[in-house]
Amino acid sequence: MREALVERATAETWVRLRLGLDGPIGGKVATGLPFLDHMLLQLQRHGRFLLEVEAKGDLEVDVHHLVEDVGIALGMALKEALGEGKGIERYGEAFAPMDETLVLCVVDLSGRPHLEYRPEEWPVVGAAGGVNHYHLREFLRGLVNHGRLTLHLRLLSGREAHHVVEAGFKALARALHRATRLTGEGLPSTKGVL
């Protein structure tokens, strides 16, 4: 089983996260931030992952630290669960619509962290449970930098924050599911290393 358990503690947050790339789907999620819980459940369901998250953060200050640090912990767990990456598909892409919103996510489990996501270019308004599309960027930065993957997220249509962030998480989940599938035996790289 490709699984990892990570724990991350800072002066601002504490996160314990368990990720299983081969299921079973589900797991308890409790971060103290209901909308973040809702998004992590989207990762579970649409990524078809075992994802258990217990977290606490300085929500009296802002949601930023907690959202970012959960992304960091997820990246750490993803990197550990993938190991050397032998046999993985490596690339994954997915569109996710949600009413008026359409998001595209493309990932490459390349070992090279890079994020292409420009929320300042998106005409999104509002927030959902205190989370907006700029917080999504912090989550993705943590995931990309600690999971060592390349990730492109594009908003093709949509303005309402809840729909944009949720479609983003759903597209991410589906793209990660595709990229992490075992479809071969060797490393998916001509370099011989990811």
Side-chain angles (χ1 to χ4, degrees), residues 9-139:
T10 72
E12 300 162 338
T13 65
W14 172 81
V15 181
R16 184 179 183 275
L17 187 147
R18 180 176 170 220
L19 175 66
L21 299 177
D22 304 308
I25 299 169
K28 182 181 177 187
V29 173
T31 67
L33 182 57
F35 188 74
L36 180 58
D37 292 353
H38 182 50
M39 294 304 96
L40 294 172
L41 292 172
Q42 302 309 314
L43 281 177
Q44 260 184 11
R45 174 60 52 197
H46 298 285
R48 301 177 208 158
F49 299 132
L50 167 68
L51 180 62
E52 297 174 351
V53 184
E54 186 179 358
K56 297 175 184 172
D58 56 353
L59 295 176
E60 68 282 359
V61 174
D62 189 34
V63 304
H64 178 108
H65 298 142
L66 181 64
V67 172
E68 178 183 31
D69 285 7
V70 170
I72 289 170
L74 180 61
M76 293 167 64
L78 178 63
K79 186 174 184 303
E80 185 179 328
L82 285 171
E84 292 179 0
K86 285 186 178 176
I88 64 168
E89 182 63 21
R90 179 177 163 177
Y91 298 98
E93 72 289 324
F95 288 94
M98 188 168 183
D99 299 340
E100 80 295 344
T101 299
L102 179 61
V103 173
L104 167 65
C105 182
V106 181
V107 299
D108 176 8
L109 303 177
S110 61
R112 295 184 309 275
H114 182 81
L115 176 63
E116 278 297 319
Y117 171 79
R118 296 188 176 115
E120 63 278 358
E121 296 176 2
W122 295 8
V124 178
V125 295
V131 177
N132 62 39
H133 64 300
Y134 288 97
H135 295 118
L136 174 58
R137 177 177 59 193
E138 299 314 309
F139 179 90

